């Protein structure tokens, strides 16, 4: 988790977001969430709704094919390392305590094309991957 003060001194949480761009491809972007609640000693964001939590353990060697996120959700890495790969060949690696918000859903009316849509994921290293999903 990273927090950065804004020019007006309001700290923000930087949400790494995986989203579907206007061309149908998955991309990453950083979204700033202001921490405007709480006290100066403990800054909080506004409350966000969540409908479900789900834990997942992926064994050493796990890798997925390209797919889209079914439901927008936060993904927090609790143990191990996870690589997310995009169609353009770019990748990002997330380790314990890191997160991203997965919202790369299939565009309305589109038929899934594994050469165009979504992302792939894989476990890295010699430790199983343990993740926590928090669904909107």
């Amino acid at each position: 988790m990273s927090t950065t003060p804004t020019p007006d001194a309001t700290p923000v949480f930087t949400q790494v977001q995986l989203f579907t761009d206007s061309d149908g491809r998955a991309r990453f972007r950083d979204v700033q969430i202001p921490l405007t609640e709480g006290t100066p000693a403990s800054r909080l964001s506004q409350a966000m709704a969540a409908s479900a939590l789900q834990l997942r353990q992926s064994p050493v060697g796990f890798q997925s094919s390209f797919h889209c996120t079914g439901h927008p959700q936060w993904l927090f890495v609790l143990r191990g390392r996870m690589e997310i790969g995009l169609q353009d060949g770019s990748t990002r690696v997330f380790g314990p305590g890191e997160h991203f918000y997965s919202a790369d859903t299939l565009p309305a009316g589109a038929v899934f094309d594994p050469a165009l849509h979504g992302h792939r994921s894989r476990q890295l290293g010699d430790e199983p991957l343990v993740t926590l999903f928090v669904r909107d």
Side-chain angles (χ1 to χ4, degrees):
M1 166 173 38
S2 73
T3 59
T4 311
T6 59
D8 65 0
T10 300
V12 296
F13 177 88
T14 302
Q15 176 193 60
V16 176
Q17 194 175 87
L18 175 61
F19 72 104
T20 303
D21 209 342
S22 59
D23 62 1
R25 294 190 180 272
R27 305 241 195 280
F28 284 107
R29 67 180 166 207
D30 289 345
V31 175
Q32 304 300 312
I33 299 173
L35 303 178
T36 57
E37 308 292 318
T39 67
S42 182
R43 303 305 300 173
L44 302 167
S45 69
Q46 292 184 352
M48 297 176 223
S51 65
L53 298 174
Q54 191 170 33
L55 292 163
R56 179 177 81 181
Q57 181 170 317
S58 301
V60 171
F62 165 80
Q63 59 183 354
S64 74
S65 55
F66 278 93
H67 62 283
C68 288
T69 298
H71 303 279
Q73 58 193 349
W74 291 80
L75 185 144
F76 296 90
V77 175
L78 302 178
R79 186 171 45 146
R81 295 177 64 226
M82 174 182 220
E83 179 186 75
I84 300 296
L86 305 182
Q87 295 288 352
D88 66 6
S90 64
T91 62
R92 287 190 69 171
V93 175
F94 300 89
E98 295 181 313
H99 78 281
F100 63 94
Y101 182 77
S102 188
D104 67 324
T105 56
L106 189 63
V111 174
F112 180 74
D113 177 351
L116 173 68
H117 300 119
H119 66 279
R120 64 167 177 75
S121 61
R122 70 181 179 131
Q123 173 275 341
L124 297 175
D126 59 1
E127 182 177 24
L129 174 65
V130 178
T131 52
L132 169 68
F133 296 92
V134 180
R135 190 176 291 180
D136 284 355

